[in-house]
Amino acid sequence: MSAPLLEAEGLVRRYAMRRGLFGRGVEIAAVDGVSLRIEAGRTLGLVGESGCGKSTTGRLVLGLERPDAGSVRFEGRPMPPPGTAEWRRLRARMQMVFQDPLGALDRRLPIGEQIREPLDIHGLLDPAARQARVFDLLHAVGLREDHAARYPHELSGGQRQRAVLARALATGPSLLVADEPISALDVSIQAQVMNLLADIQARFGIAMLFISHDLRAVRQLSHRIAVMYLGRIVEEGEPDAVLHDPAHPYARALVSAIPHPGRAVRRILLPGDPPNPADRPPGCAFHPRCPAAVARCRAESPALKPRADGRLVACHVAQGEAEAPIRQAA
Ligand code: SF4
């Protein structure tokens, strides 16, 4: 197997927080031992509920935050310390697309200048060629050359996200981390931006970490899907396997919530809310909500392990390592 473009191993990111005004400080692990790999030109979809740690994982991968433990290798080399010349050189090869395009753009600068900015910062191309590159990028994302002179507030939401994409592509990255890139857009625009992302990936051969709470969006773009719960990956595999026959009970509940027009699908309703990361349940963190929990789940945290079908699953029952469930799914 060839070396992956990106390889993250055992990433951990903890934050200190205080319970109440005078309460004692506690540490929460937003990301708790995440490992992932992305091959060149492929997309890994990272899915889970809000607050499960997927955006933090994206920032760790890019070096925008330092992990408390674990490592990231990109293009076969360890990520250098942030702020160094080598880090800046590698960062030009890995770019991020944020959820809120208006927040990601500078309201005081014309779009064309913002797309050219990464070329200026990294000293790529000569100044005359940079303007031609800006126009090429505008065309690549479905905007016109006259959009270069406009300010962010003069564009629609969809056009702003296209401009953000053009800026992310300026340095010729080999990896895009797209964090909920369509969730701030009107539903009518979401499909256009998804098609554009697919088109860009096919044309430029860019790998992508596509982060979303929306399994339907993840399915459209991903070559593999990883499901996160409370800071950990609980299932990872090919989209067909994860979406048609999810192995982890949490993945089953997520998949059951996907609407299928004209087809009745029994939705699995999980009891309660995701637990507070500061009060992580012992054993499997999902056990208080899990319809398939067994006695072992309360005491022992399941490791993410490969199954015979090639999928990675963190579940005693799905691994065939546990006795009959305490209670069956409703
Ligand atoms: Fe449910 Fe147990 Fe599997 Fe956790 S390990 S998902 S509690 S069955």
Side-chain angles (χ1 to χ4, degrees):
M1 190 188 292
S2 61
L5 177 76
L6 177 94
E7 192 166 25
E9 195 63 47
L11 293 178
V12 174
R13 182 71 174 107
R14 299 188 197 94
Y15 298 105
M17 71 175 240
R18 190 166 289 285
R19 290 182 204 269
L21 196 53
F22 304 107
R24 69 184 173 88
V26 290
E27 269 201 339
I28 63 164
V31 173
D32 193 14
V34 165
S35 298
L36 50 86
R37 51 189 288 153
I38 304 177
E39 314 294 332
R42 311 288 281 179
T43 295
L44 175 68
L46 193 56
V47 71
E49 290 163 296
S50 171
C52 70
K54 44 191 198 308
S55 293
T56 306
T57 301
R59 290 197 296 275
L60 292 173
V61 158
L62 286 177
L64 299 177
E65 288 192 40
R66 297 192 81 159
D68 295 297
S71 62
V72 176
R73 292 178 71 83
F74 180 65
E75 294 183 338
R77 277 170 294 166
M79 278 297 280
T84 60
E86 179 63 2
W87 179 80
R88 278 194 292 277
R89 195 190 66 73
L90 275 191
R91 279 286 286 114
R93 310 268 303 132
M94 50 204 310
Q95 295 288 339
M96 186 147 193
V97 177
F98 294 94
Q99 176 177 355
D100 172 17
L102 193 56
L105 293 167
D106 186 335
R107 297 169 196 234
R108 299 160 303 175
L109 274 184
I111 292 300
E113 284 187 37
Q114 300 195 51
I115 296 173
R116 204 187 62 201
E117 204 170 39
L119 300 172
D120 297 337
I121 290 171
H122 293 285
L124 301 173
L125 305 177
D126 62 63
R130 286 178 197 161
Q131 195 53 41
R133 172 84 172 142
V134 169
F135 290 147
D136 285 347
L137 289 163
L138 286 168
H139 291 306
V141 299
L143 293 174
R144 299 187 308 270
E145 291 182 9
D146 63 278
H147 283 117
R150 300 199 193 171
Y151 290 83
H153 70 271
E154 296 177 297
L155 302 183
S156 69
Q159 288 172 331
R160 284 195 283 264
Q161 196 58 300
R162 289 172 189 269
V164 168
L165 262 173
R167 189 177 61 181
L169 294 173
T171 55
S174 55
L175 174 73
L176 276 185
V177 175
D179 187 2
E180 301 276 10
I182 60 166
S183 59
L185 304 177
D186 287 347
V187 174
S188 58
I189 307 295
Q190 289 181 353
Q192 292 176 21
V193 172
M194 288 296 293
N195 290 338
L196 177 61
L197 284 168
D199 178 53
I200 281 171
Q201 182 172 50
R203 259 197 294 165
F204 299 107
I206 297 174
M208 213 180 300
L209 177 60
F210 184 81
I211 298 169
S212 178
H213 67 282
D214 182 347
L215 257 179
R216 282 176 302 176
V218 166
R219 172 173 56 185
Q220 189 180 335
L221 280 182
S222 303
H223 300 96
R224 283 183 78 79
I225 291 178
V227 179
M228 272 189 91
Y229 186 79
L230 213 62
R232 294 181 185 173
I233 291 175
V234 295
E235 178 162 352
E236 188 193 322
E238 306 281 334
D240 273 354
V242 175
L243 293 167
H244 294 131
D245 182 24
H248 193 282
Y250 175 65
R252 280 207 289 274
L254 282 188
V255 169
S256 78
I258 301 175
H260 295 273
R263 186 152 64 91
V265 175
R266 191 180 60 134
R267 178 150 187 204
I268 301 170
L269 294 172
L270 296 174
D273 297 317
N276 183 340
D279 287 315
R280 190 182 181 87
C284 174
F286 188 55
H287 88 254
R289 307 174 74 197
C290 181
V294 297
R296 181 180 177 187
C297 305
R298 295 183 182 138
E300 197 180 319
S301 178
L304 187 68
K305 290 195 287 193
R307 298 199 321 177
D309 61 5
R311 227 178 303 185
L312 300 170
V313 185
C315 172
H316 301 308
V317 172
Q319 291 286 357
E321 296 174 350
E323 67 276 34
I326 293 170
R327 55 183 186 272
Q328 293 291 345

